[in-house]
Coordinates of all heavy atoms in Angstrom, one line a residue:
M13 N -25.8 23.1 -31.0 CA -25.9 22.1 -30.0 C -26.6 22.7 -28.7 O -26.4 23.8 -28.3 CB -24.5 21.8 -29.4 CG -24.5 20.7 -28.4 SD -22.8 20.0 -28.0 CE -22.0 21.3 -27.3
K14 N -27.5 21.9 -28.2 CA -28.4 22.4 -27.0 C -27.5 22.4 -25.8 O -26.6 21.6 -25.7 CB -29.6 21.5 -26.8 CG -30.6 21.6 -27.8 CD -31.8 20.7 -27.4 CE -32.9 20.9 -28.3 NZ -34.2 20.1 -27.8
I15 N -27.8 23.4 -25.0 CA -27.2 23.4 -23.6 C -27.8 22.2 -22.9 O -29.1 22.0 -22.8 CB -27.5 24.7 -22.9 CG1 -26.7 25.8 -23.7 CG2 -27.0 24.6 -21.4 CD1 -27.0 27.2 -23.0
R16 N -26.9 21.4 -22.2 CA -27.4 20.2 -21.5 C -27.2 20.4 -20.0 O -26.3 20.9 -19.5 CB -26.5 19.0 -21.9 CG -27.0 17.7 -21.4 CD -26.7 16.5 -22.3 NE -27.4 15.3 -21.9 CZ -28.6 15.0 -22.2 NH1 -29.3 15.7 -23.1 NH2 -29.0 13.8 -21.8
I17 N -28.4 20.1 -19.3 CA -28.5 20.3 -17.8 C -28.6 18.9 -17.1 O -29.3 18.0 -17.7 CB -29.7 21.1 -17.5 CG1 -29.5 22.5 -18.1 CG2 -29.9 21.2 -16.1 CD1 -30.7 23.3 -18.1
L18 N -27.8 18.7 -16.1 CA -28.0 17.5 -15.3 C -29.0 18.0 -14.1 O -28.6 18.8 -13.3 CB -26.8 17.0 -14.7 CG -26.8 15.8 -13.7 CD1 -27.5 14.6 -14.2 CD2 -25.4 15.5 -13.2
L19 N -30.1 17.4 -14.1 CA -31.1 17.8 -13.0 C -31.3 16.7 -12.1 O -31.6 15.6 -12.5 CB -32.5 18.1 -13.7 CG -33.7 18.3 -12.7 CD1 -33.5 19.5 -11.9 CD2 -34.9 18.4 -13.6
V20 N -31.1 16.9 -10.8 CA -31.2 15.8 -9.7 C -32.2 16.3 -8.7 O -31.9 17.2 -7.9 CB -29.8 15.6 -9.0 CG1 -29.9 14.3 -8.2 CG2 -28.8 15.4 -10.1
E21 N -33.4 15.7 -8.7 CA -34.5 16.1 -7.9 C -35.3 14.9 -7.6 O -35.8 14.1 -8.5 CB -35.4 17.2 -8.5 CG -36.7 17.4 -7.8 CD -36.5 18.0 -6.4 OE1 -35.8 19.0 -6.1 OE2 -37.1 17.2 -5.5
D22 N -35.6 14.5 -6.3 CA -36.3 13.3 -6.0 C -37.8 13.4 -6.0 O -38.6 12.4 -6.2 CB -35.9 12.7 -4.6 CG -36.2 13.7 -3.5 OD1 -36.1 14.8 -3.7 OD2 -36.6 13.2 -2.5
D23 N -38.3 14.7 -6.0 CA -39.7 14.9 -6.0 C -40.2 14.8 -7.4 O -39.8 15.6 -8.3 CB -40.2 16.3 -5.4 CG -41.6 16.5 -5.5 OD1 -42.1 16.9 -6.6 OD2 -42.2 16.4 -4.4
L24 N -41.0 13.8 -7.7 CA -41.4 13.5 -9.1 C -42.1 14.7 -9.8 O -41.8 15.0 -10.9 CB -42.3 12.3 -9.2 CG -42.8 11.9 -10.6 CD1 -41.8 11.6 -11.6 CD2 -43.9 10.7 -10.6
T25 N -43.0 15.3 -9.1 CA -43.8 16.4 -9.7 C -42.9 17.5 -10.0 O -42.8 18.1 -11.1 CB -44.9 16.8 -8.8 OG1 -45.8 15.7 -8.5 CG2 -45.8 17.9 -9.4
L26 N -42.0 18.0 -9.0 CA -41.1 19.0 -9.2 C -40.1 18.7 -10.3 O -39.8 19.6 -11.2 CB -40.4 19.4 -7.9 CG -39.5 20.5 -7.9 CD1 -40.0 21.8 -8.5 CD2 -38.9 20.8 -6.5
R27 N -39.6 17.5 -10.4 CA -38.6 17.2 -11.3 C -39.2 17.2 -12.8 O -38.6 17.8 -13.7 CB -38.1 15.7 -11.1 CG -36.9 15.3 -12.1 CD -36.4 13.9 -11.7 NE -37.3 12.9 -11.9 CZ -37.8 12.2 -11.0 NH1 -37.5 12.4 -9.6 NH2 -38.7 11.2 -11.1
E28 N -40.4 16.8 -12.9 CA -41.1 16.8 -14.2 C -41.4 18.2 -14.7 O -41.2 18.5 -15.8 CB -42.3 15.9 -14.3 CG -42.0 14.4 -14.2 CD -41.1 14.0 -15.4 OE1 -41.4 14.4 -16.5 OE2 -40.1 13.3 -15.2
V29 N -41.9 19.0 -13.7 CA -42.1 20.5 -14.0 C -40.9 21.1 -14.5 O -40.8 21.9 -15.6 CB -42.8 21.1 -12.8 CG1 -42.8 22.7 -13.0 CG2 -44.3 20.7 -12.7
L30 N -39.8 21.0 -13.7 CA -38.6 21.6 -14.1 C -38.0 21.1 -15.4 O -37.6 21.9 -16.2 CB -37.5 21.4 -13.0 CG -37.7 22.1 -11.7 CD1 -36.7 21.5 -10.6 CD2 -37.5 23.6 -11.9
K31 N -38.1 19.9 -15.6 CA -37.6 19.3 -16.9 C -38.3 19.8 -18.1 O -37.8 20.2 -19.1 CB -37.7 17.7 -16.8 CG -37.1 17.0 -18.0 CD -37.2 15.5 -17.8 CE -36.3 14.7 -18.8 NZ -37.0 14.5 -20.1
Q32 N -39.7 19.7 -18.0 CA -40.6 20.1 -19.1 C -40.4 21.7 -19.4 O -40.3 22.1 -20.5 CB -42.0 19.9 -18.9 CG -42.3 18.4 -18.9 CD -43.7 18.1 -18.4 OE1 -44.6 19.0 -18.3 NE2 -44.1 16.8 -18.3
S33 N -40.2 22.5 -18.3 CA -40.0 23.9 -18.4 C -38.7 24.3 -19.1 O -38.6 25.0 -20.0 CB -40.0 24.6 -17.0 OG -41.3 24.4 -16.4
L34 N -37.6 23.6 -18.6 CA -36.4 23.7 -19.2 C -36.3 23.3 -20.7 O -35.8 24.0 -21.6 CB -35.3 23.0 -18.4 CG -35.0 23.6 -17.0 CD1 -34.2 22.7 -16.2 CD2 -34.3 24.9 -17.2
E35 N -37.0 22.1 -21.1 CA -37.0 21.7 -22.4 C -37.8 22.6 -23.3 O -37.4 22.9 -24.4 CB -37.6 20.3 -22.4 CG -36.6 19.3 -21.9 CD -37.1 17.8 -21.7 OE1 -38.3 17.6 -21.8 OE2 -36.3 16.9 -21.6
L36 N -38.9 23.3 -22.8 CA -39.6 24.2 -23.5 C -38.9 25.4 -23.9 O -38.9 26.1 -24.9 CB -40.9 24.7 -22.8 CG -42.0 23.7 -22.7 CD1 -43.2 24.2 -21.8 CD2 -42.6 23.6 -24.2
E37 N -37.8 25.7 -23.1 CA -36.9 26.8 -23.3 C -35.7 26.5 -24.2 O -34.8 27.2 -24.4 CB -36.4 27.4 -21.9 CG -37.4 28.1 -21.1 CD -38.1 29.3 -21.8 OE1 -37.3 30.1 -22.5 OE2 -39.3 29.5 -21.7
G38 N -35.7 25.2 -24.6 CA -34.7 24.7 -25.5 C -33.5 24.0 -25.0 O -32.5 23.7 -25.7
F39 N -33.6 23.8 -23.7 CA -32.4 23.0 -23.0 C -32.7 21.5 -23.2 O -33.8 21.1 -23.3 CB -32.3 23.3 -21.5 CG -32.1 24.8 -21.2 CD1 -33.0 25.6 -20.9 CD2 -30.8 25.3 -21.5 CE1 -32.8 27.0 -20.6 CE2 -30.5 26.7 -21.2 CZ -31.5 27.6 -20.8
S40 N -31.6 20.8 -23.1 CA -31.6 19.3 -23.1 C -31.5 18.9 -21.6 O -30.4 19.4 -21.0 CB -30.5 18.7 -23.9 OG -30.5 17.3 -23.9
V41 N -32.2 18.2 -21.1 CA -32.2 17.8 -19.6 C -32.1 16.3 -19.4 O -32.9 15.4 -19.8 CB -33.5 18.3 -18.9 CG1 -33.4 18.0 -17.4 CG2 -33.7 19.8 -19.1
D42 N -31.1 16.0 -18.6 CA -30.8 14.6 -18.1 C -31.2 14.6 -16.7 O -30.5 15.1 -15.9 CB -29.4 14.3 -18.3 CG -29.0 12.9 -17.9 OD1 -29.9 12.1 -17.6 OD2 -27.7 12.5 -17.9
S43 N -32.4 14.0 -16.4 CA -32.9 14.1 -15.0 C -32.9 12.8 -14.2 O -33.0 11.7 -14.8 CB -34.4 14.6 -15.0 OG -35.2 13.7 -15.6
H44 N -32.6 12.9 -13.0 CA -32.4 11.8 -12.1 C -33.0 12.1 -10.7 O -33.1 13.2 -10.3 CB -30.8 11.4 -11.9 CG -30.3 11.1 -13.2 ND1 -30.3 9.7 -13.7 CD2 -29.7 11.8 -14.0 CE1 -29.7 9.7 -14.8 NE2 -29.4 10.9 -15.1
S45 N -33.4 10.9 -10.0 CA -34.1 11.2 -8.7 C -33.3 10.7 -7.5 O -33.7 10.9 -6.5 CB -35.4 10.4 -8.7 OG -35.2 9.0 -8.9
T46 N -32.1 10.1 -7.9 CA -31.3 9.7 -6.8 C -29.8 10.1 -6.9 O -29.4 10.4 -8.1 CB -31.2 8.2 -6.7 OG1 -30.6 7.6 -7.9 CG2 -32.6 7.5 -6.6
L47 N -29.1 10.0 -5.8 CA -27.7 10.4 -5.8 C -26.9 9.4 -6.7 O -26.0 9.7 -7.5 CB -27.1 10.4 -4.4 CG -25.6 10.8 -4.2 CD1 -25.3 12.2 -4.8 CD2 -25.3 10.7 -2.8
A48 N -27.3 8.1 -6.6 CA -26.6 7.0 -7.4 C -26.8 7.3 -8.9 O -25.8 7.2 -9.7 CB -27.2 5.7 -7.0
G49 N -28.1 7.7 -9.3 CA -28.3 7.9 -10.8 C -27.5 9.2 -11.2 O -27.0 9.2 -12.3
A50 N -27.4 10.2 -10.4 CA -26.7 11.4 -10.7 C -25.3 11.1 -10.8 O -24.6 11.6 -11.7 CB -26.9 12.5 -9.6
R51 N -24.6 10.3 -9.9 CA -23.2 10.0 -10.0 C -22.9 9.1 -11.2 O -21.9 9.5 -11.9 CB -22.9 9.1 -8.8 CG -22.7 9.9 -7.4 CD -22.4 9.0 -6.3 NE -21.4 9.6 -5.5 CZ -21.1 9.1 -4.4 NH1 -21.5 7.9 -4.0 NH2 -20.1 9.6 -3.6
A52 N -23.8 8.3 -11.7 CA -23.6 7.5 -12.8 C -23.7 8.4 -14.1 O -22.8 8.4 -15.0 CB -24.6 6.4 -13.0
A53 N -24.7 9.4 -14.0 CA -24.7 10.3 -15.2 C -23.5 11.3 -15.2 O -23.0 11.6 -16.3 CB -26.0 11.2 -15.0
W54 N -23.0 11.7 -14.0 CA -21.9 12.5 -14.0 C -20.6 11.7 -14.6 O -19.9 12.3 -15.4 CB -21.6 13.0 -12.5 CG -20.3 13.7 -12.5 CD1 -19.2 13.3 -11.9 CD2 -20.0 15.1 -13.0 NE1 -18.2 14.3 -12.0 CE2 -18.7 15.4 -12.7 CE3 -20.8 16.1 -13.7 CZ2 -18.0 16.6 -13.0 CZ3 -20.2 17.2 -14.0 CH2 -18.9 17.5 -13.7
A55 N -20.5 10.6 -14.2 CA -19.3 9.8 -14.7 C -19.5 9.6 -16.3 O -18.5 9.7 -16.9 CB -19.2 8.4 -14.1
Y56 N -20.6 9.4 -16.7 CA -20.9 9.2 -18.2 C -20.4 10.5 -18.8 O -19.7 10.6 -19.9 CB -22.3 8.9 -18.6 CG -22.6 9.0 -20.0 CD1 -22.2 8.0 -20.9 CD2 -23.3 10.1 -20.6 CE1 -22.4 8.1 -22.2 CE2 -23.5 10.2 -21.8 CZ -23.1 9.2 -22.6 OH -23.4 9.3 -24.0
H57 N -21.0 11.7 -18.4 CA -20.6 13.0 -19.0 C -19.3 13.4 -18.8 O -18.7 13.9 -19.8 CB -21.6 14.0 -18.4 CG -23.0 13.9 -18.7 ND1 -23.5 14.1 -20.1 CD2 -24.1 13.5 -18.1 CE1 -24.8 13.8 -20.1 NE2 -25.2 13.5 -18.9
L58 N -18.6 13.0 -17.8 CA -17.2 13.3 -17.6 C -16.4 12.6 -18.5 O -15.3 13.1 -19.0 CB -16.8 13.1 -16.1 CG -15.5 13.5 -15.6 CD1 -15.5 15.1 -15.6 CD2 -15.2 13.0 -14.2
N59 N -16.7 11.4 -18.9 CA -15.9 10.5 -19.8 C -16.3 10.7 -21.2 O -15.7 10.1 -22.1 CB -16.1 9.1 -19.4 CG -15.5 8.8 -18.1 OD1 -14.4 9.2 -17.8 ND2 -16.1 8.0 -17.3
T60 N -17.2 11.8 -21.6 CA -17.5 11.9 -22.9 C -17.3 13.5 -23.2 O -18.2 14.2 -23.5 CB -18.8 11.6 -23.4 OG1 -19.8 12.1 -22.4 CG2 -19.0 10.1 -23.4
P61 N -16.1 14.0 -23.0 CA -16.0 15.5 -23.0 C -16.2 16.2 -24.3 O -16.6 17.3 -24.2 CB -14.4 15.7 -22.6 CG -13.8 14.4 -22.9 CD -14.9 13.3 -22.8
R62 N -16.1 15.6 -25.4 CA -16.4 16.3 -26.6 C -17.6 15.8 -27.4 O -17.9 16.1 -28.5 CB -15.2 16.1 -27.6 CG -13.9 16.7 -27.1 CD -13.0 17.0 -28.2 NE -12.1 18.1 -27.9 CZ -10.9 17.8 -27.5 NH1 -10.5 16.6 -27.4 NH2 -10.1 18.8 -27.1
S63 N -18.5 15.1 -26.6 CA -19.7 14.5 -27.1 C -20.9 15.7 -27.0 O -20.7 16.6 -26.3 CB -20.1 13.4 -26.2 OG -21.4 13.2 -26.1
P64 N -21.9 15.5 -27.8 CA -23.0 16.3 -27.7 C -23.7 16.3 -26.3 O -24.5 17.1 -26.0 CB -24.0 15.9 -28.8 CG -23.1 15.1 -29.7 CD -22.0 14.7 -28.9
S65 N -23.4 15.3 -25.6 CA -23.9 15.2 -24.2 C -23.2 16.1 -23.2 O -23.5 16.0 -22.0 CB -23.9 13.7 -23.8 OG -22.6 13.3 -23.6
N66 N -22.3 16.8 -23.5 CA -21.6 17.7 -22.7 C -22.5 18.5 -21.7 O -23.5 19.1 -22.2 CB -20.7 18.7 -23.5 CG -19.3 18.6 -23.1 OD1 -18.9 17.8 -22.4 ND2 -18.5 19.5 -23.6
L67 N -22.2 18.6 -20.5 CA -23.1 19.3 -19.6 C -22.6 20.7 -19.4 O -21.5 21.1 -19.6 CB -23.0 18.6 -18.1 CG -23.6 17.4 -18.0 CD1 -23.2 16.8 -16.6 CD2 -25.0 17.4 -18.1
S68 N -23.6 21.7 -19.2 CA -23.4 23.0 -19.0 C -23.6 23.5 -17.6 O -23.0 24.4 -17.1 CB -24.2 24.0 -19.9 OG -23.8 23.5 -21.3
I69 N -24.5 22.8 -16.8 CA -24.9 23.2 -15.5 C -25.5 21.9 -14.8 O -26.0 21.0 -15.5 CB -25.8 24.4 -15.5 CG1 -26.0 24.9 -14.1 CG2 -27.2 24.0 -16.2 CD1 -26.8 26.2 -13.9
V70 N -25.3 21.9 -13.4 CA -25.9 20.8 -12.6 C -26.9 21.5 -11.8 O -26.5 22.5 -11.1 CB -24.8 20.2 -11.8 CG1 -25.5 19.1 -10.9 CG2 -23.9 19.4 -12.7
I71 N -28.2 21.0 -11.7 CA -29.1 21.6 -10.7 C -29.4 20.4 -9.8 O -29.8 19.3 -10.3 CB -30.4 21.9 -11.5 CG1 -30.2 23.1 -12.5 CG2 -31.5 22.3 -10.4 CD1 -31.3 23.4 -13.4
V72 N -29.2 20.6 -8.5 CA -29.3 19.5 -7.6 C -30.1 19.9 -6.3 O -29.9 21.0 -5.8 CB -27.9 19.1 -7.3 CG1 -27.0 20.0 -6.5 CG2 -27.9 17.8 -6.3
D73 N -30.9 19.0 -5.9 CA -31.6 19.1 -4.6 C -30.7 18.5 -3.6 O -30.0 17.5 -3.8 CB -32.9 18.2 -4.7 CG -33.7 18.2 -3.4 OD1 -33.5 19.1 -2.6 OD2 -34.6 17.4 -3.4
L74 N -30.7 19.1 -2.3 CA -29.9 18.6 -1.3 C -30.4 17.4 -0.6 O -29.6 16.5 -0.2 CB -29.6 19.7 -0.3 CG -28.8 20.9 -0.7 CD1 -28.7 21.9 0.4 CD2 -27.5 20.6 -1.3
G75 N -31.7 17.2 -0.6 CA -32.2 16.0 0.2 C -32.8 15.0 -0.8 O -33.8 15.1 -1.4
L76 N -31.9 14.0 -1.0 CA -32.0 12.9 -1.9 C -32.3 11.6 -1.1 O -31.8 11.5 0.0 CB -31.0 12.7 -2.9 CG -30.7 13.9 -3.8 CD1 -29.4 13.8 -4.6 CD2 -31.9 14.2 -4.8
P77 N -33.1 10.7 -1.6 CA -33.4 9.5 -0.8 C -32.2 8.6 -0.5 O -32.3 7.9 0.6 CB -34.4 8.7 -1.8 CG -34.2 9.2 -3.0 CD -33.7 10.7 -3.0
D78 N -31.2 8.7 -1.2 CA -30.0 7.8 -0.9 C -28.7 8.6 -0.6 O -27.7 8.0 -0.6 CB -29.8 6.9 -2.2 CG -29.5 7.6 -3.4 OD1 -29.7 8.9 -3.5 OD2 -28.8 7.0 -4.4
G79 N -28.9 9.8 -0.3 CA -27.8 10.6 0.2 C -28.1 12.1 0.1 O -29.1 12.5 -0.3
D80 N -27.1 12.8 0.4 CA -27.2 14.3 0.3 C -26.6 14.8 -0.9 O -25.5 14.4 -1.3 CB -26.4 14.9 1.6 CG -26.8 16.3 1.9 OD1 -26.3 17.2 1.1 OD2 -27.6 16.6 2.7
G81 N -27.4 15.8 -1.5 CA -26.9 16.4 -2.7 C -25.5 17.1 -2.6 O -24.8 17.2 -3.7
S82 N -25.0 17.4 -1.4 CA -23.8 18.0 -1.3 C -22.7 17.0 -1.7 O -21.6 17.4 -2.0 CB -23.6 18.6 0.2 OG -23.6 17.4 1.1
T83 N -23.0 15.7 -1.6 CA -22.0 14.7 -2.1 C -21.7 14.9 -3.5 O -20.6 14.8 -4.0 CB -22.5 13.3 -1.7 OG1 -22.8 13.2 -0.3 CG2 -21.6 12.3 -2.2
L84 N -22.8 15.1 -4.2 CA -22.7 15.3 -5.8 C -22.0 16.7 -6.0 O -21.0 16.7 -6.8 CB -24.0 15.2 -6.5 CG -24.0 15.5 -7.9 CD1 -23.2 14.3 -8.7 CD2 -25.4 15.7 -8.5
I85 N -22.2 17.7 -5.2 CA -21.6 19.0 -5.4 C -20.0 18.8 -5.2 O -19.2 19.3 -6.0 CB -22.1 20.0 -4.5 CG1 -23.6 20.3 -4.9 CG2 -21.4 21.3 -4.5 CD1 -24.4 21.1 -3.9
R86 N -19.6 18.0 -4.2 CA -18.3 17.8 -3.9 C -17.6 17.1 -5.1 O -16.5 17.4 -5.5 CB -18.1 16.9 -2.6 CG -18.1 17.7 -1.4 CD -17.7 16.7 -0.2 NE -18.5 17.1 0.9 CZ -19.5 16.5 1.4 NH1 -20.0 15.3 0.8 NH2 -20.2 16.9 2.4
L87 N -18.2 16.1 -5.6 CA -17.9 15.3 -6.7 C -17.6 16.3 -8.0 O -16.6 16.2 -8.6 CB -18.7 14.1 -7.1 CG -18.3 13.2 -8.2 CD1 -17.0 12.6 -8.0 CD2 -19.5 12.3 -8.5
V88 N -18.6 17.0 -8.3 CA -18.6 17.9 -9.4 C -17.4 18.9 -9.2 O -16.6 19.2 -10.1 CB -19.9 18.6 -9.6 CG1 -19.8 19.7 -10.6 CG2 -21.0 17.6 -10.1
R89 N -17.4 19.5 -8.0 CA -16.3 20.5 -7.8 C -14.9 19.9 -7.8 O -13.9 20.7 -8.1 CB -16.5 21.2 -6.4 CG -17.6 22.2 -6.5 CD -17.1 23.5 -7.3 NE -18.2 24.2 -7.6 CZ -18.9 24.3 -8.8 NH1 -18.4 23.7 -9.8 NH2 -19.8 25.1 -9.0
S90 N -14.8 18.6 -7.4 CA -13.4 18.1 -7.5 C -12.9 17.8 -8.9 O -11.7 17.6 -9.0 CB -13.4 16.8 -6.6 OG -14.1 15.7 -7.3
Q91 N -13.8 17.8 -9.8 CA -13.4 17.5 -11.2 C -13.7 18.4 -12.3 O -13.5 18.3 -13.4 CB -14.1 16.2 -11.6 CG -13.8 14.9 -10.7 CD -14.6 13.7 -10.9 OE1 -15.8 13.8 -11.3 NE2 -14.0 12.6 -10.6
S92 N -14.4 19.6 -11.8 CA -14.9 20.5 -12.8 C -15.2 21.9 -12.2 O -15.4 22.0 -11.0 CB -16.2 20.0 -13.4 OG -16.9 20.9 -14.1
K93 N -15.2 22.9 -12.9 CA -15.7 24.2 -12.5 C -17.2 24.5 -13.0 O -17.6 25.6 -13.1 CB -14.7 25.3 -13.0 CG -13.4 25.1 -12.4 CD -12.5 26.3 -12.8 CE -11.1 26.2 -12.2 NZ -11.1 26.7 -10.9
L94 N -17.8 23.5 -13.4 CA -19.2 23.5 -13.9 C -20.1 24.2 -12.9 O -20.0 24.0 -11.7 CB -19.7 22.2 -14.2 CG -20.9 22.0 -15.2 CD1 -20.5 22.4 -16.6 CD2 -21.3 20.5 -15.2
P95 N -21.0 25.2 -13.4 CA -21.9 25.8 -12.4 C -22.8 24.7 -11.8 O -23.2 23.9 -12.5 CB -22.7 26.8 -13.3 CG -21.9 27.0 -14.5 CD -21.1 25.7 -14.7
V96 N -23.2 25.1 -10.6 CA -24.1 24.2 -9.8 C -25.2 25.1 -9.2 O -24.8 26.0 -8.5 CB -23.4 23.4 -8.7 CG1 -24.4 22.6 -7.8 CG2 -22.3 22.4 -9.3
L97 N -26.4 24.8 -9.4 CA -27.6 25.3 -8.8 C -28.2 24.6 -7.9 O -28.5 23.4 -8.1 CB -28.5 25.8 -9.9 CG -29.8 26.5 -9.5 CD1 -29.5 27.9 -8.8 CD2 -30.7 26.7 -10.6
V98 N -28.3 25.0 -6.7 CA -28.9 24.2 -5.5 C -30.4 24.6 -5.4 O -30.7 25.7 -5.3 CB -28.2 24.4 -4.2 CG1 -28.9 23.7 -3.0 CG2 -26.7 23.9 -4.3
I99 N -31.2 23.5 -5.4 CA -32.6 23.7 -5.1 C -32.9 22.8 -3.9 O -32.4 21.7 -3.8 CB -33.5 23.3 -6.2 CG1 -33.3 21.9 -6.8 CG2 -33.5 24.3 -7.4 CD1 -34.3 21.5 -7.8
S100 N -33.6 23.4 -2.9 CA -33.8 22.7 -1.7 C -35.0 23.1 -0.8 O -35.3 24.4 -1.0 CB -32.5 22.7 -0.8 OG -32.7 21.9 0.4
A101 N -35.7 22.3 -0.1 CA -36.7 22.7 0.8 C -36.2 23.1 2.2 O -36.9 23.5 3.0 CB -37.7 21.6 0.9
R102 N -34.9 22.9 2.4 CA -34.3 23.3 3.6 C -34.4 24.7 3.9 O -34.3 25.6 3.1 CB -32.8 22.9 3.6 CG -32.6 21.4 3.5 CD -31.2 21.0 3.6 NE -30.9 19.7 3.4 CZ -29.8 19.0 3.3 NH1 -28.7 19.7 3.3 NH2 -29.8 17.7 3.2
E103 N -34.7 25.0 5.1 CA -35.0 26.4 5.5 C -33.8 27.2 5.8 O -33.8 28.5 5.7 CB -36.0 26.5 6.7 CG -37.3 25.9 6.4 CD -38.3 26.1 7.5 OE1 -38.1 26.9 8.5 OE2 -39.3 25.3 7.6
D104 N -32.7 26.5 6.1 CA -31.5 27.1 6.4 C -30.7 27.5 5.2 O -30.1 26.7 4.5 CB -30.6 26.2 7.4 CG -29.4 26.9 7.9 OD1 -29.1 28.1 7.6 OD2 -28.6 26.1 8.5
D105 N -30.7 28.9 4.9 CA -30.0 29.3 3.7 C -28.5 29.0 3.6 O -27.9 28.8 2.6 CB -30.3 30.8 3.5 CG -31.7 31.2 3.1 OD1 -32.3 30.3 2.6 OD2 -32.1 32.3 3.2
V106 N -27.9 29.1 4.8 CA -26.5 28.7 4.9 C -26.1 27.4 4.3 O -25.2 27.1 3.7 CB -25.9 28.9 6.3 CG1 -24.5 28.4 6.4 CG2 -26.0 30.3 6.9
N107 N -27.0 26.4 4.6 CA -26.8 25.0 4.0 C -27.0 24.9 2.6 O -26.5 24.1 2.0 CB -27.7 24.0 4.8 CG -27.2 23.7 6.2 OD1 -26.1 23.7 6.5 ND2 -28.2 23.3 7.1
K108 N -27.8 25.9 2.1 CA -28.0 25.9 0.7 C -27.0 26.6 -0.2 O -26.7 26.2 -1.3 CB -29.4 26.6 0.3 CG -30.6 25.7 0.8 CD -31.8 26.2 0.3 CE -32.5 27.2 1.2 NZ -33.8 27.6 0.9
I109 N -26.3 27.6 0.4 CA -25.4 28.4 -0.4 C -24.0 28.4 0.1 O -23.0 28.7 -0.7 CB -25.9 29.8 -0.5 CG1 -25.9 30.5 0.9 CG2 -27.3 29.9 -1.2 CD1 -26.2 32.0 0.8
N110 N -23.6 27.9 1.2 CA -22.2 28.0 1.7 C -21.6 26.6 1.7 O -21.6 25.9 2.5 CB -22.2 28.5 3.2 CG -20.8 28.7 3.6 OD1 -19.8 28.6 2.8 ND2 -20.6 29.0 4.8
F111 N -21.0 26.2 0.5 CA -20.4 25.0 0.3 C -18.9 25.1 0.5 O -18.1 24.2 0.3 CB -20.7 24.4 -1.0 CG -22.1 23.9 -1.0 CD1 -23.1 24.6 -1.6 CD2 -22.4 22.6 -0.4 CE1 -24.4 24.2 -1.6 CE2 -23.7 22.2 -0.4 CZ -24.7 22.9 -1.0
S112 N -18.4 26.3 0.8 CA -17.0 26.6 1.0 C -16.3 25.7 2.1 O -15.2 25.4 2.2 CB -16.6 28.0 1.2 OG -17.2 28.5 2.3
S113 N -17.3 25.3 3.1 CA -16.8 24.6 4.2 C -16.8 23.0 4.0 O -16.3 22.3 4.8 CB -17.7 24.8 5.5 OG -19.0 24.4 5.2
L114 N -17.3 22.6 2.9 CA -17.3 21.2 2.5 C -15.9 20.7 2.1 O -15.3 21.3 1.3 CB -18.3 20.9 1.3 CG -19.7 21.1 1.6 CD1 -20.5 20.9 0.4 CD2 -20.2 20.2 2.7
P115 N -15.5 19.5 2.6 CA -14.3 19.1 2.1 C -14.3 18.8 0.6 O -15.3 18.2 0.1 CB -14.1 17.7 2.9 CG -15.0 17.8 4.0 CD -16.1 18.8 3.6
G116 N -13.2 19.1 -0.1 CA -13.2 18.9 -1.5 C -13.8 20.0 -2.4 O -13.9 19.8 -3.6
V117 N -14.4 21.0 -1.7 CA -15.0 22.1 -2.5 C -14.0 23.3 -2.3 O -13.8 23.8 -1.3 CB -16.3 22.5 -2.0 CG1 -16.9 23.6 -2.7 CG2 -17.3 21.3 -2.1
P118 N -13.4 23.8 -3.4 CA -12.4 24.9 -3.4 C -13.2 26.2 -3.0 O -14.4 26.4 -3.4 CB -11.8 24.9 -4.7 CG -12.6 24.1 -5.7 CD -13.5 23.2 -4.8

């Protein structure tokens, strides 16, 4: 079974480059450009725990057109210990790596 990744990035070029690169390395990638799409994908994956669609990691951009990626991180962390990798153009490293101050993030 391939390792499945949930990729959430609103920049089309970056999303496609990441998706293609990950797929070339043998990963299965479920990619989305919005917070709403990512939440729907998360709900689907959460409700199919023994399916081949099981997720192994979430890669999320913080700046999404319909909300902040930290919202998805809170959701994932409230329901799972799945690894989350943050990608962001934000210059402030603290906002990219310190989610311990977010409500709902242990």
